[in-house]
Amino acid sequence: MSLTPMMRQYQEIKATLEDTLLMFRLGDFYELFFEDAVVASRALDITLTGRDAGEAGRIPMCGVPYHALESYLDRLIEQGFRVAICEQVEDPKTAKGLVQREIVRVVTPGTALSNEQANRFLASFVARDDMVGLGLVDVGT
């Protein structure tokens, strides 16, 4: 099954992720495709639509406006999802062919930072022989 060049790019980037939703920047939106779109549309209560993907036909798609990313990220993180943010790393106006994209950030429930969150605690405990170690940090402040 042959995909469009952009969908091939998406699939190549998505293949590097495990158990992580991929938010793929397309202009003014972060889009999710395939199973990620189905999962995110349910979790965020947003419309599931579709997009032509070449010979694959229409595939599931949903998206959020780029300027509202943080509020949608917060909602996904609160539900326990890991989310990778894939940005356009070159100017679409000057790109020759497909715009280059890269993952620039991976957000997890333990690492999410938002201006609205006061505290985000992490702890680590190690026991070895007759010694113990404990590390505590509040990465939210």
Side-chain angles (χ1 to χ4, degrees):
M1 159 174 66
S2 177
L3 295 171
T4 63
M6 189 193 70
M7 285 292 101
R8 280 195 307 272
Q9 181 186 50
Y10 174 87
Q11 290 285 56
E12 289 169 7
I13 294 169
K14 178 66 179 169
T16 67
L17 304 169
E18 197 170 303
D19 298 326
T20 304
L21 299 175
L22 177 59
M23 298 186 95
F24 194 77
R25 181 75 180 261
L26 289 176
D28 290 340
F29 287 84
Y30 287 98
E31 304 287 358
L32 297 100
F33 301 102
F34 300 101
E35 185 61 27
D36 283 2
V38 175
V39 170
S41 70
R42 287 183 189 140
L44 297 171
D45 194 27
I46 58 176
T47 302
L48 180 66
T49 62
R51 180 183 185 96
D52 181 41
E55 290 178 14
R58 285 187 73 74
I59 58 164
M61 177 183 89
C62 71
V64 299
Y66 79 95
H67 58 81
L69 174 65
E70 294 303 319
S71 66
Y72 287 102
L73 266 180
D74 287 347
R75 290 172 56 194
L76 289 169
I77 298 309
E78 286 172 11
Q79 295 177 58
F81 292 101
R82 291 173 45 98
V83 183
I85 308 301
C86 184
E87 288 286 354
Q88 297 172 168
V89 293
E90 67 179 329
D91 186 347
K93 294 175 185 168
T94 60
K96 302 275 192 240
L98 194 59
V99 175
Q100 183 180 355
R101 293 177 176 84
E102 295 175 2
I103 295 172
V104 297
R105 181 175 160 203
V106 177
V107 185
T108 67
T111 62
L113 297 175
S114 166
N115 292 336
E116 299 170 10
Q117 296 173 332
N119 300 98
R120 182 70 66 171
F121 300 108
L122 293 176
S124 176
F125 178 80
V126 173
R128 183 176 301 157
D129 299 324
D130 63 343
M131 297 186 304
V132 295
L134 175 66
L136 302 169
V137 65
D138 178 359
V139 297
T141 59

